[in-house]
Amino acid sequence: MKAVEATNVAKVGKVNWALFNPKTYATMLYLLLSLPLGIIYLTVAITGLALSIALIPVFIGIPMFFGMAKLLNGIVSFEQSLIRHILRLPVPPAAVPNYAQAEAGQNWFMRMVKGFDGELFFRNLMLVILRFITGIVFFAVMVTALALGIGFIALPVVHIILMNEMKLDILENTLFTYFHIDWTYNQQYLLSEGIGLVLFWVALRVVNGLMQVQRRIMYVDEAYLQPTPEPAPTQFHAPVQPQYEEYLEEQPTQEKLWLA
């Protein structure tokens, strides 16, 4: 059942009609900000972990280490919620409350130690590093793909401006000249516009594909596979039944007394 729900959520998060879908342009903004955000995340993580390890001999490094674990978990949760908001995914169900929490009377250090999950910590650290790598790669891929499409679309305008202002003909030595194809500027403009629109549409599809890859890297759909919290069982009180059985047991005795 959970797998079916996760599949339905995955279908909801996919983008159709990329050119007219606001999710596409929100994704573009997200990928543009991914480069500086990835640098900030990695810098904070490496600096915090290095300081916490270096300060372990003076004891302050131990609580700092557990604090960094909480911070890494917050960074990953923030990225997951950001992707859900961009793709307009439903709010995931709340996690099952852990009743094995720290008991009353324990100090803050013991509660911090018991709340630490080593597997989750290393996973979050790897996700922050991957977030930095994908931020660089996805930014470069998106900018290159969009630049090709926009470049071909803007070629006629740039050519006209350069011809009028600087007497510079950038279409003088092109493939048309090399293959001796005698096309007018207007025909070359139309071809450039057509190629540019196709490349721009492909670039938008690439952008949405990068977001789907980022969604899988950051385990966004993992929350939909978590068990939902079960409602607390209501305490049903047994209905008060009349003492009918006792009455039946006493009935023959009373009949005997009446007959006597």
Side-chain angles (χ1 to χ4, degrees), residues 98-235:
N98 185 12
Y99 295 104
Q101 293 288 337
E103 299 177 356
Q106 292 181 344
N107 57 22
W108 62 271
F109 183 76
M110 293 303 299
R111 292 196 299 268
M112 191 178 296
V113 171
K114 286 191 174 182
F116 177 75
D117 188 347
E119 183 179 354
L120 182 63
F121 167 74
F122 285 109
R123 194 199 76 167
N124 290 337
L125 181 59
M126 291 298 104
L127 288 181
V128 169
I129 296 175
L130 281 176
R131 181 69 177 78
F132 170 73
I133 298 173
T134 56
I136 297 175
V137 175
F138 291 175
F139 179 86
V141 171
M142 182 191 69
V143 170
T144 303
L146 291 175
L148 285 174
I150 296 174
F152 275 97
I153 293 174
L155 179 62
V157 178
V158 174
H159 180 258
I160 293 173
I161 293 175
L162 292 177
M163 284 287 291
N164 294 334
E165 299 297 332
M166 303 177 60
K167 306 300 180 182
L168 179 62
D169 188 3
I170 59 177
L171 297 179
E172 183 178 1
N173 297 316
T174 60
L175 290 176
F176 295 96
T177 306
Y178 182 78
F179 289 105
H180 304 286
I181 300 176
D182 189 15
W183 276 25
T184 63
Y185 285 148
N186 290 334
Q187 291 174 328
Q188 295 183 42
Y189 292 164
L190 291 176
L191 179 62
S192 175
E193 291 292 327
I195 295 175
L197 290 175
V198 172
L199 290 178
F200 186 72
W201 178 82
V202 171
L204 296 182
R205 300 301 299 178
V206 169
V207 167
N208 291 320
L210 294 177
M211 175 56 85
Q212 296 301 323
V213 174
Q214 186 73 14
R215 171 184 175 181
R216 289 175 173 82
I217 290 176
M218 298 302 295
Y219 294 97
V220 172
D221 295 333
E222 183 184 33
Y224 301 101
L225 298 174
Q226 298 294 331
T228 54
E230 297 180 357
T234 56
Q235 297 180 354

